[in-house]
Amino acid sequence: ALGGKRPGGVLIATKARFPMGPGPNDRGLSRHHLIAACEASLKRLRTDVIDLYQVHEWDGQTPLEETMEALDGLIRQGKVRYVGCSNYSGWHVMKAMETARREGRIPFVSQQIHYTLEAREAEYELIPLAIDQGLGVLVWSPLAGGLLSGKHRKGKAAEGTRQLAGWTEPPIRDEDRLWRIVDTIVAIAEARGVSGAEVALAWLIGRPGVTSLVIGGRTEAQFRANLAAADLKLSEEERA
């Protein structure tokens, strides 16, 4: 909780869509839920405005006109500064953007997507779309739940991790390919005297269209290692 005051340079981003209660209006991208969820977030965060309010996955039951109107209203009321989407397909993004423009609403400024060294499907449509439309790109789980940190190797998960407990998000569709990538990450990390996480994150930060990464960590050391990736410049050979 921020207590109404933010440190300099801090931006607040949050999402809405998934169930926050048992009722039929406690989920989705309806006007009712988007407004209620926004006001609840403002109260929990003890702040006056959310910098980036994101719709979290497509809602095929609510008309896009209603969703984009509700988001536009929150901006004009001063509760939200910008809006974005998360985990939309390419056609979802463009349909929402054009719906907003046609109605004179404020469109998305960003998309939050899954994109890693191992999972590069975003390069087919989502990254080119972002570049074409001028959307920021935020990447969730850039280390694939820690699998690309280098601490996990083939046949051996690190103690105290989600992978050891059977965590399967995000999914890995080609395990042999994953471990070949991890072996390469570790080799580069050892040669550069940095962590595997720094290598994987530095590769992603340097990709076309990527604006920022959504990082996490259980310890201060993990956060420091992740943040250090911003200063690591990989050579073209290392990137290849």
Side-chain angles (χ1 to χ4, degrees):
L2 300 174
K5 295 182 179 179
R6 303 188 197 182
V10 170
L11 300 177
I12 295 177
T14 189
K15 302 179 185 177
R17 184 198 184 286
F18 290 117
M20 295 298 288
N25 292 317
D26 295 331
R27 67 194 69 200
L29 299 180
S30 67
R31 181 184 295 105
H32 183 287
H33 183 60
L34 284 174
I35 293 173
C38 177
E39 292 175 346
S41 288
L42 290 169
K43 184 176 181 180
R44 284 193 301 268
L45 291 166
R46 289 192 280 174
T47 188
D48 295 326
V49 61
I50 293 166
D51 296 296
L52 179 62
Y53 193 45
Q54 301 158 105
V55 288
H56 194 175
E57 291 192 357
W58 184 255
D59 176 2
Q61 295 184 312
T62 302
L64 264 175
E65 290 80 5
E66 178 177 334
T67 296
M68 301 312 292
E69 179 190 18
L71 294 173
D72 185 84
L74 289 169
I75 294 173
R76 297 184 190 282
Q77 291 168 27
K79 296 177 180 178
V80 169
R81 289 199 171 102
Y82 298 97
V83 292
C85 60
S86 177
N87 295 344
Y88 272 35
S89 70
W91 74 267
H92 287 151
V93 178
M94 286 310 306
K95 188 172 183 179
M97 296 283 284
E98 290 309 305
T99 297
R101 290 167 177 153
R102 184 181 67 243
E103 302 292 329
R105 311 292 181 193
I106 298 172
F108 297 142
V109 300
S110 67
Q111 58 174 337
Q112 189 176 132
I113 64 175
H114 181 49
Y115 181 27
T116 71
L117 263 166
E118 190 279 330
R120 298 178 62 173
E121 296 88 347
E123 294 174 359
Y124 296 143
E125 289 194 5
L126 294 178
I127 294 297
L129 181 158
I131 293 171
D132 178 73
Q133 294 294 307
L135 293 176
V137 173
L138 309 176
V139 178
W140 62 265
S141 198
L143 293 175
L147 287 173
L148 298 176
S149 67
K151 64 184 177 183
H152 303 287
R153 306 304 292 272
K154 188 173 183 178
K156 184 179 180 181
E159 292 291 334
T161 64
R162 293 182 295 178
Q163 277 67 38
L164 200 63
W167 184 264
T168 58
E169 176 69 25
I172 300 298
R173 296 181 175 85
D174 187 339
E175 192 170 332
D176 287 338
R177 178 173 174 273
L178 165 70
W179 298 125
R180 291 197 299 272
I181 292 170
V182 171
D183 288 343
T184 304
I185 290 171
V186 171
I188 293 172
E190 290 176 348
R192 295 289 296 269
V194 298
S195 69
E198 288 174 64
V199 173
L201 295 175
W203 179 88
L204 197 52
I205 292 170
R207 293 300 294 167
V210 173
T211 307
S212 188
L213 312 180
V214 181
I215 62 171
R218 291 181 293 108
T219 67
E220 181 180 345
Q222 288 175 335
F223 271 111
R224 288 187 179 278
N226 288 351
L227 291 170
D231 297 320
L232 178 62
K233 306 302 179 186
L234 299 176
S235 69
E236 288 304 312
E237 182 180 1
E238 288 169 333
R239 298 189 66 83

